[in-house]
């Protein structure tokens, strides 16, 4: 119940902030539509058609009332219902974000375990170099590099646009790379901490097979930091696929919110921002649940 | 075994041929922005016209050389007082199969001039009455207007069936292509229309306009074969396709006037000597080489050479590049240590780079320039709408008629964000519309001369439109307006 109340509070707060930000920003959607050929007559005509001639607070009130009723309103830039735009963009961004996290989590755990199991100096150093590089290289650059290699040179994958799941392979790889680096760090340091602890030594001493020690005792106990970090990564992705969507020309939520802000399309920006806020609350909740499963000592306060 | 292998080879070959023939009949075009709406009474965006040119037709339509030709009107007569136009309609059908009637034309044009409905009604305010008479449409004007036919070629004068609903996303026109699907942020898909009045069928069965806002992304898509054509490639990325044997670039004038806009009313720019000094410090060749990679024509007039009939080509020496004289002019005007803000629209790399080079050139004659980058929405509000700026840079898009371009320098015009004011100029613009032939040409040439003499702004260049496409594609045509004529393309 308290979760739901705080969710409602967050939605209202977030939408109010978005609204104020777009009000403060100089610029006018009608003027943006008309450009350098606009005249006062044409501006007035467009403003009244779009309902922009009403006072700002009235428009915010109207938006809030219809949002509560499940109506996201009409996009100013595209003159279609925002619901239609979001319904097409959301699956793309969600698929992108979830796959990126799954892939990076999978690779990070695999590499982390392998490097813990074969704790040679060279291997550990190699992994560290990879994770430093992965975190340092800017994402748009990785994206362009991938396009150059896989789309332009080898021609095995599309360079951009959305034409089915194949279009998501390169963007997912681009998003996953730096995240793998971050998560790998987490897995490694988590494992290193646990592997040095007394109970692992005890487990080894009483003759448990190495694999069992590693997977049953060490990995799960070392996973808490990783799970939290994966949750944070997913949250960042929900709000932060803008750059990659731009590089690959993917029609996701990032593109929508970018167009929305640039065109001062208030209903569109409001809808995307509020939905992302709801998504973040939901992810946090799921991470809390996962942590509880991993470590029964953790309880909600 | 061997026979089975033959089957495999045969079917593979079959699949390949079917595959390649289907590929040959579809054209993927990369554009930067979505249309705003396909409702002709409401659309105002260039990105709509670019696509809708293939879907809608008016009584007349534009040609690549900038004149107009008959579209739904087979021919027309103009009365001797230039106030009554009689259009004779062709036998044509809409995309929904219904016949085009004179009443459809009357309805569409009446809606276009209705202030309650139309966003562009003021363009049609000169119409007194529109009447239908079987297959004739008679339009009466309240005064002669030499630009009227070009107004009828605009998207806002497109003809659609009377009573048609939902045109915003489901346009019904008479053009060579009809709309199949529009997914905002993704693509607009068109299919060729077998019922076009010309009886001709375009080469490409399907034309898909892919919305790719990012320059680099569009070029990479072209190089990887995802995209067949980029109608407007920025010169910045030209080097990426220059050596690609599968891609060719067709360059042509864009009919765009790039101007260093000066706020003519804000001191010290209200002194013509200061404005001339700004103009004479500018080295156009250096800017064209540095900002447009050489793909532009230097410009000395408010009109582009893409309009050869009206373009005044005698203005290059009015304010030539002469830094010494520029310094002198500043001294004569009594201006010392001039410092101003140059506001640049960050969304347009061409204008930003032009501004950076121009700032260096002004610095060379002792002017201090603060560059301020603003995003497009802010630019429109501050510079265009509120006219709150010192100097800025922008491209003014071409129109079919010189009046539509030059009228914005009229002192009372709402689009005159330069705050330019000249009595003689106002008079000339007032006369131009009622004149014909060489008299009309002389008026606009003189008007351009005034803009140059008064240094209303510094006209820098007409950038070339770079259309990049697969080498197999033939038939590309540059237009002086913002369109892609897909029906002319073939391979």
């Amino acid at each position: 119940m308290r979760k739901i109340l705080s969710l409602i509070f967050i939605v209202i707060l977030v939408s109010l902030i978005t609204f104020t930000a777009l009000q403060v920003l100089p610029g006018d959607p009608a003027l943006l539509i008309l450009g350098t050929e606009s005249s006062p007559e044409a501006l007035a005509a467009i403003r009244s058609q779009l309902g922009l001639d009403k006072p700002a607070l009235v428009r915010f009130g109207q938006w809030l009332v219809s949002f509560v009723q499940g109506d996201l309103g009409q996009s100013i830039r595209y003159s279609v219902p925002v619901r239609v735009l979001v319904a097409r963009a959301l699956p793309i961004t969600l698929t992108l974000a979830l796959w990126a996290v799954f892939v990076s989590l999978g690779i990070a755990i695999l590499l982390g375990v392998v490097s813990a199991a074969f704790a040679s100096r060279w291997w550990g150093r190699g992994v560290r170099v990879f994770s430093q590089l992965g975190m340092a290289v800017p994402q748009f650059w990785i994206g362009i590099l991938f396009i150059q290699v896989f789309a332009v040179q080898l021609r095995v994958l599309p360079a951009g646009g959305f034409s089915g799941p194949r279009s998501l392979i390169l963007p997912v790889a681009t998003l996953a790379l730096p995240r793998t680096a971050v998560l790998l760090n987490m897995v490694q340091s988590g494992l290193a901490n646990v592997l040095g602890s007394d109970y692992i030594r005890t487990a080894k001493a009483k003759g448990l097979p190495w694999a069992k020690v590693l997977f049953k005792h060490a990995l799960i106990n070392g996973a808490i930091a990783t799970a939290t970090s994966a949750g944070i990564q997913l949250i960042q992705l929900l709000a932060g696929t803008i750059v990659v969507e731009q590089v690959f020309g993917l029609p996701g939520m990032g593109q929508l919110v970018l167009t929305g802000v640039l065109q001062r399309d208030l209903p569109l920006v409001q809808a995307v921002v509020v939905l992302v806020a709801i998504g973040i609350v939901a992810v946090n909740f799921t991470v809390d649940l996962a942590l509880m499963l991993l470590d029964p000592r953790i309880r909600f306060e | 075994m061997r026979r089975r292998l033959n089957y495999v080879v045969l079917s593979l070959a079959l699949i390949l041929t079917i595959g390649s023939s289907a590929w040959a009949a579809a054209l993927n075009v990369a554009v930067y922005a979505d249309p705003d709406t396909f409702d002709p009474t409401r659309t105002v965006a260039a990105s709509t016209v670019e696509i809708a040119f293939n879907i809608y037709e008016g009584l007349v339509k534009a040609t690549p050389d900038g004149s107009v030709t008959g579209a739904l009107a087979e021919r027309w007569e103009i009365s001797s007082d230039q106030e009554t136009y009689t259009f004779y309609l062709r036998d044509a059908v809409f995309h929904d199969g219904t016949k085009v009637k004179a009443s459809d034309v009357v309805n569409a044009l009446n809606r276009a001039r209705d202030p309650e409905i139309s966003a562009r009604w003021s363009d049609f305010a000169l119409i007194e009455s529109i009447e239908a008479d079987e297959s004739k449409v008679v339009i009466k004007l309240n005064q002669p207007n030499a630009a009227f036919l070009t107004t009828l070629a605009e998207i806002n004068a497109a003809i659609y069936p009377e009573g048609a609903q939902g045109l915003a996303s489901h346009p019904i026109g008479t053009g060579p292509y009809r709309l199949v699907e529009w997914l905002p942020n993704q693509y607009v898909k068109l299919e060729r229309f077998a019922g076009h009045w010309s009886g001709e069928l375009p080469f490409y069965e399907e034309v898909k306009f892919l919305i790719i806002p990012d320059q680099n992304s569009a070029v990479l898509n072209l190089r990887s074969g995802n995209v067949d054509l980029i109608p407007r490639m920025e010169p910045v990325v030209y080097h990426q396709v220059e050596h690609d044997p599968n891609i060719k670039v067709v360059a042509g004038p864009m009919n765009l006037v790039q101007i260093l806009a000066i706020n003519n009313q804000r001191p010290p720019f209200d002194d013509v000597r200061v404005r001339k000094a700004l103009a004479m410090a500018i080295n156009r060749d250096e800017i064209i080489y540095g900002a447009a990679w050489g793909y532009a024509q230097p410009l000395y007039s408010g009109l582009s050479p893409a309009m050869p009939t009206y373009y005044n080509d005698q203005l290059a020496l009015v304010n030539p590049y002469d830094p010494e004289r520029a310094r002198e002019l500043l001294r004569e005007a009594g201006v010392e240590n001039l410092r101003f803000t140059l506001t640049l629209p960050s969304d347009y790399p061409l204008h930003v780079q032009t501004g950076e080079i121009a700032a260096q050139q002004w610095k060379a004659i002792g002017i201090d320039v603060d560059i301020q980058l603003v995003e497009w929405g802010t630019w429109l509000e501050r510079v265009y709408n509120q006219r709150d700026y010192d100097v800025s840079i922008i491209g003014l898009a071409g129109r079919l008629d010189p009046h539509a371009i030059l009228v914005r320098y009229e002192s009372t015009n709402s689009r005159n964000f330069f705050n330019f004011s000249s009595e003689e100029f106002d008079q000339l613009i007032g006369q131009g519309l009622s004149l014909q032939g060489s008299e009309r040409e002389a008026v606009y040439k003189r008007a351009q001369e005034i803009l140059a003499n008064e240094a209303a702004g510094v006209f820098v260049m007409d950038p070339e439109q770079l259309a990049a496409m697969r080498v197999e594609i033939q038939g590309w045509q540059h237009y002086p307006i913002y369109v892609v004529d897909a029906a002319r393309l073939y391979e």
Side-chain angles (χ1 to χ4, degrees):
Chain A
M1 193 58 209
R2 267 181 53 195
K3 282 256 162 208
I4 293 176
L5 273 180
S6 76
L7 181 67
I8 293 172
F9 178 71
I10 288 173
V11 166
I12 293 179
L13 195 69
V14 161
S15 60
L16 194 64
I17 293 173
T18 317
F19 184 81
T20 321
L22 277 192
Q23 286 302 316
V24 173
L25 215 58
D28 167 355
L31 193 58
L32 272 156
I33 292 173
L34 286 163
T36 52
E37 293 297 314
S38 78
S39 61
E41 299 88 16
L43 268 182
I46 295 241
R47 282 211 184 99
S48 79
Q49 278 168 2
L50 298 175
L52 295 170
D53 43 357
K54 295 185 197 109
L57 272 179
V58 174
R59 281 187 284 134
F60 181 67
Q62 283 175 338
W63 178 85
L64 200 61
V65 169
S66 32
F67 181 80
V68 171
Q69 293 166 343
D71 178 8
L72 296 179
Q74 185 93 358
S75 158
I76 294 172
R77 171 64 177 78
Y78 296 111
S79 35
V80 290
V82 171
R83 177 177 43 83
V84 176
L85 296 172
V86 168
R88 269 194 222 111
L90 190 61
I92 293 176
T93 300
L94 269 187
T95 319
L96 214 57
L98 286 175
W99 271 105
V101 169
F102 285 147
V103 167
S104 52
L105 203 55
I107 297 177
I109 290 177
L110 193 77
L111 284 183
V113 169
V114 169
S115 70
F118 309 97
S120 87
R121 227 193 229 175
W122 285 109
W123 177 264
R125 215 173 264 174
V127 167
R128 222 168 305 139
V129 167
F130 163 74
S131 75
Q132 289 298 331
L133 262 182
M135 280 188 277
V137 176
Q139 227 162 45
F140 73 91
W141 190 80
I142 300 176
I144 291 175
L145 189 76
F146 279 170
I147 296 176
Q148 274 290 356
V149 174
F150 294 102
V152 178
Q153 301 297 331
L154 301 175
R155 294 199 173 211
V156 285
L157 288 167
F162 183 71
S163 49
R166 264 165 51 87
S167 307
L168 294 180
I169 297 176
L170 287 182
V172 165
T174 309
L175 285 171
L177 194 67
R179 270 141 202 103
T180 308
V182 173
L183 291 176
L184 181 55
N185 244 347
M186 289 290 163
V187 174
Q188 262 188 327
S189 59
L191 274 180
N193 275 338
V194 174
L195 283 177
S197 66
D198 293 343
Y199 72 89
I200 295 290
R201 203 180 45 205
T202 315
K204 277 200 278 191
K206 76 176 184 188
L208 271 184
W210 177 230
K212 205 168 176 189
V213 174
L214 192 62
F215 288 104
K216 196 169 172 216
H217 295 284
L219 189 59
I220 291 186
N221 283 310
I224 290 173
T226 312
T228 317
S229 176
I232 294 171
Q233 297 292 339
L234 185 58
I235 286 172
Q236 281 182 357
L237 280 178
L238 284 181
T241 54
I242 296 181
V243 173
V244 167
E245 282 179 24
Q246 186 79 2
V247 169
F248 287 94
L250 288 175
M253 299 287 271
Q255 289 269 34
L256 268 195
V257 80
L258 193 65
T259 324
V261 172
L262 290 179
Q263 301 290 326
R264 310 288 191 272
D265 189 341
L266 186 69
L268 187 57
V269 178
Q270 288 277 49
V272 176
V273 169
V274 168
L275 285 176
V276 167
I278 294 175
I280 288 172
V281 173
V283 170
N284 273 331
F285 184 68
T286 319
V287 170
D288 285 350
L289 280 182
L291 289 184
M292 256 165 49
L293 286 177
L294 284 172
D295 185 348
R297 284 172 303 184
I298 296 177
R299 281 285 168 270
F300 284 128
E301 273 97 66
Chain B
M1 188 61 209
R2 192 169 193 154
R3 184 173 281 176
R4 192 173 289 170
L5 200 68
N6 277 341
Y7 277 127
V8 172
V9 170
L10 199 72
S11 51
L12 254 176
L14 206 67
I15 290 169
L16 279 176
T17 46
I18 291 173
S20 65
S21 71
W23 164 81
L27 184 74
N28 290 326
V29 184
V31 293
Y32 298 125
D34 266 297
D36 54 348
T37 160
F38 282 112
D39 183 343
T41 57
R42 286 200 48 196
T43 179
V44 286
S47 54
T48 303
V49 183
E50 186 168 30
I51 298 172
F53 184 77
N54 301 290
I55 303 174
Y56 283 116
E57 287 172 328
L59 287 170
V60 294
K61 68 177 178 189
T63 62
D65 66 4
S67 59
V68 295
T69 178
L72 290 179
E74 198 169 8
R75 60 194 173 88
W76 56 90
E77 288 157 5
I78 305 172
S79 67
S80 52
D81 64 357
Q82 307 288 321
E83 287 184 10
T84 308
Y85 287 66
T86 309
F87 294 93
Y88 297 87
L89 300 187
R90 283 181 211 280
D91 276 330
V93 286
F94 289 111
H95 296 154
D96 66 358
T98 57
K99 217 173 131 7
V100 179
K101 299 181 299 292
S103 57
D104 295 317
V105 178
V106 174
N107 168 68
L109 294 181
N110 272 332
R111 283 170 55 91
R113 67 194 184 108
D114 185 342
E116 298 281 306
I117 299 170
S118 171
R120 282 264 188 245
W121 62 272
S122 52
D123 287 6
F124 301 90
L126 74 167
I127 296 179
E128 183 91 19
S129 70
I130 309 169
E131 272 158 37
D133 178 10
E134 287 177 37
S135 66
K136 266 195 312 192
V137 173
V138 181
I139 301 178
K140 283 201 170 68
L141 308 184
N142 49 29
Q143 58 185 36
N145 187 313
F148 180 58
L149 279 177
T150 60
T151 309
L152 286 183
E154 302 270 350
I155 177 78
N156 308 93
I159 308 302
Y160 46 87
E162 191 174 356
Q165 295 292 317
L167 291 175
S169 49
H170 299 97
I172 305 171
T174 55
Y177 281 92
R178 61 181 197 84
L179 184 118
V180 182
E181 194 180 26
W182 171 22
L183 294 182
N185 253 328
Q186 293 191 41
Y187 60 79
V188 180
K189 191 156 104 184
L190 310 184
E191 185 185 78
R192 66 181 174 198
F193 173 50
H196 191 252
W197 51 261
S198 66
E200 284 165 24
L201 204 56
F203 176 83
Y204 294 102
E205 253 171 80
E206 182 190 299
V207 176
K208 209 167 170 185
F209 290 88
L210 302 165
I211 319 297
I212 306 179
D214 185 72
Q215 275 300 315
N216 286 302
S217 183
V219 169
L220 289 170
N221 272 289
L222 177 67
R223 294 188 60 200
S224 71
N226 249 12
V227 157
D228 303 308
L229 165 69
I230 306 176
R232 270 158 247 282
M233 190 179 67
E234 290 278 342
V236 190
V237 290
Y238 182 83
H239 66 279
Q240 294 189 31
V241 297
E242 205 173 5
H243 301 297
D244 192 322
N246 303 314
I247 293 167
K248 66 175 173 188
V249 175
V250 187
M254 207 188 306
N255 195 11
L256 184 95
V257 171
Q258 190 200 37
I259 180 173
L260 291 165
I262 303 171
N263 194 342
N264 279 239
Q265 233 143 66
R266 182 174 282 191
F269 309 116
D270 53 347
D271 186 330
V272 65
R273 287 171 297 191
V274 177
R275 299 200 299 268
K276 274 177 160 303
L278 289 191
M280 293 173 97
I282 294 299
N283 178 347
R284 289 174 177 75
D285 292 337
E286 200 176 282
I287 291 179
I288 289 171
Y289 186 75
W293 301 70
Y295 296 99
Q297 297 298 320
L299 201 59
Y300 301 89
S301 164
L303 214 60
S304 145
M307 308 191 79
T309 324
Y310 298 100
Y311 174 64
N312 188 337
D313 57 2
Q314 304 295 314
L315 304 174
L317 294 176
V318 176
N319 297 312
Y321 172 56
D322 187 348
E324 269 320 299
R325 179 79 190 116
R327 275 176 193 274
E328 258 174 54
L329 280 166
L330 284 181
R331 230 173 288 136
E332 282 169 28
V335 177
E336 276 170 40
N337 303 328
L338 178 57
R339 182 185 186 136
F340 62 81
T341 305
L342 176 63
T343 311
L344 300 174
S346 61
D347 302 45
Y348 295 93
L350 177 68
H351 303 324
V352 172
Q353 282 161 13
T354 299
E356 283 161 356
I357 300 170
Q360 287 304 317
Q361 296 177 350
W362 282 322
K363 209 169 188 174
I365 63 161
I367 302 177
D368 236 344
V369 182
D370 301 315
I371 291 181
Q372 181 191 33
L373 287 176
V374 296
E375 160 269 1
W376 185 230
T378 310
W379 190 93
L380 281 172
E381 181 67 41
R382 287 220 195 110
V383 179
Y384 182 77
N385 214 25
Q386 296 171 1
R387 303 183 185 179
D388 177 14
Y389 72 105
D390 297 335
V391 179
S392 184
I393 305 183
I394 195 60
L396 300 170
R399 307 283 289 269
L400 288 173
D401 192 84
H403 177 82
I405 298 169
L406 293 175
V407 71
R408 70 176 335 135
Y409 300 92
E410 204 177 37
S411 55
T412 53
N413 194 282
S414 59
R415 288 175 287 164
N416 179 4
F417 65 98
F418 328 101
N419 285 321
F420 177 71
S421 168
S422 150
E423 250 174 69
E424 191 194 348
F425 186 89
D426 289 359
Q427 275 173 8
L428 289 169
I429 291 299
Q431 286 166 11
L433 281 178
S434 51
L435 297 173
Q436 301 283 315
S438 60
E439 272 183 320
R440 187 161 191 247
E441 284 166 31
V443 160
Y444 291 122
K445 281 186 176 160
R446 172 71 190 135
Q448 292 167 64
E449 201 181 329
I450 295 172
L451 291 183
N453 286 342
E454 294 287 316
V458 188
F459 306 106
V460 184
M461 62 170 114
D462 179 9
E464 278 175 10
Q465 182 185 344
L466 302 175
M469 64 198 87
R470 262 196 299 117
V471 280
E472 295 86 3
I473 297 175
Q474 306 293 325
W476 171 263
Q477 288 279 0
H478 285 288
Y479 275 74
I481 48 174
Y482 204 96
V483 299
V484 171
D485 192 353
R488 284 177 190 256
L489 298 173
Y490 63 94
E491 56 189 82

